[in-house]
Amino acid sequence: MLYKLVVMGSSQVGKTALTAQLIGNCFIPDYDPTIEDSYRTQLVVDGEPCQLDILDTTGNEEYHALRQEFMRRGQGFLCVYAVDDVKSFVDVNIFRDQLRGIRDTDRVPLVLVANKTDKADCLVTRELGQEAAKSFKVPFVETSAKTGSGVERAFQELVREIRRFSVQELKHCRDAEHDQGCGFKPCKVM
């Protein structure tokens, strides 16, 4: 099955490094601003092989229109912040609010990712990340693109969220269909 994933977050949080670590098991130490790059890879999630179409996006505000487009196209979203950058953590709220506005729903498959956990100068604690994820009602994963820790788990968790979302949507549609019935009022036999 093909999953369209979007990696989003502020500039320099490690979105490209996370994607490169998943795709090629390598770390990219140099910062090179991304506008939009697309990658394909396979990943096994809960015993099932999955084809991932990953869109690595820009965090620059000047590309706001482009950001809206990728928020429309994605099935699921990794919202990434860096533990050594408080502003990137605060910006998670902006990305989430934009996503909810564009999709016109609070229910979007999303995983909150705390990246750069290998750094000694952690400014955003695990507890803050967990609290944010709990308030968003989404999973929380800590990663290090440098060491590879948690990277595969973050993408796997997003695939699981997409699957859960799909099951919930199907159930919601069936319930709505059942509540409406066939459109005819029942007849009474006298």
Side-chain angles (χ1 to χ4, degrees):
M1 179 151 208
L2 177 67
Y3 295 89
K4 293 183 179 195
L5 312 182
V6 176
V7 184
M8 64 183 190
S10 297
S11 294
Q12 301 184 37
V13 296
K15 299 179 298 291
T16 300
L18 283 171
T19 304
Q21 186 62 253
L22 179 74
I23 303 286
N25 200 26
C26 64
F27 176 64
I28 302 170
D30 301 323
Y31 175 66
D32 183 20
T34 303
I35 295 177
E36 180 181 301
D37 288 327
S38 185
Y39 303 91
R40 281 218 172 179
T41 192
Q42 285 196 335
L43 186 65
V44 175
V45 181
D46 302 328
E48 181 184 324
C50 305
Q51 182 77 21
L52 306 183
D53 186 0
I54 303 169
L55 187 62
D56 176 18
T57 64
T58 182
N60 293 333
E61 185 56 38
E62 61 198 63
Y63 295 103
H64 183 73
L66 188 59
R67 184 184 301 164
Q68 290 179 335
E69 182 56 32
F70 72 67
M71 286 181 175
R72 282 186 195 91
R73 293 189 318 205
Q75 285 178 284
F77 303 85
L78 284 186
C79 193
V80 183
Y81 69 91
V83 298
D84 65 341
D85 181 353
V86 174
K87 183 183 180 319
S88 73
F89 178 67
V90 173
D91 287 349
V92 162
N93 293 296
I94 295 167
F95 281 94
R96 180 174 167 265
D97 289 347
Q98 287 176 349
L99 182 59
R100 289 168 48 192
I102 288 166
R103 299 297 282 262
D104 196 27
T105 182
D106 288 342
R107 300 174 56 220
V108 179
L110 179 81
V111 173
L112 184 60
V113 177
N115 193 31
K116 301 188 181 184
T117 57
D118 56 281
K119 294 218 171 210
D121 55 341
C122 177
L123 301 173
V124 183
T125 65
R126 170 184 292 150
E127 291 75 25
L128 282 173
Q130 289 171 328
E131 285 176 30
K134 186 176 179 181
S135 74
F136 295 170
K137 298 179 182 159
V138 301
F140 173 71
V141 179
E142 292 181 299
T143 62
S144 168
K146 185 174 186 176
T147 68
S149 172
V151 174
E152 190 171 296
R153 182 172 165 258
F155 284 91
Q156 288 173 329
E157 196 58 44
L158 183 53
V159 169
R160 288 183 189 109
E161 278 297 289
I162 293 168
R163 289 176 180 167
R164 277 192 283 271
F165 180 79
S166 296
V167 168
Q168 289 171 353
E169 285 297 298
L170 186 61
K171 183 183 180 322
H172 178 75
C173 288
R174 285 183 181 155
D175 290 349
E177 212 173 75
H178 177 73
D179 290 346
Q180 291 175 359
C182 64
F184 297 103
K185 295 188 190 248
C187 301
K188 290 184 181 178
V189 179
M190 304 222 169

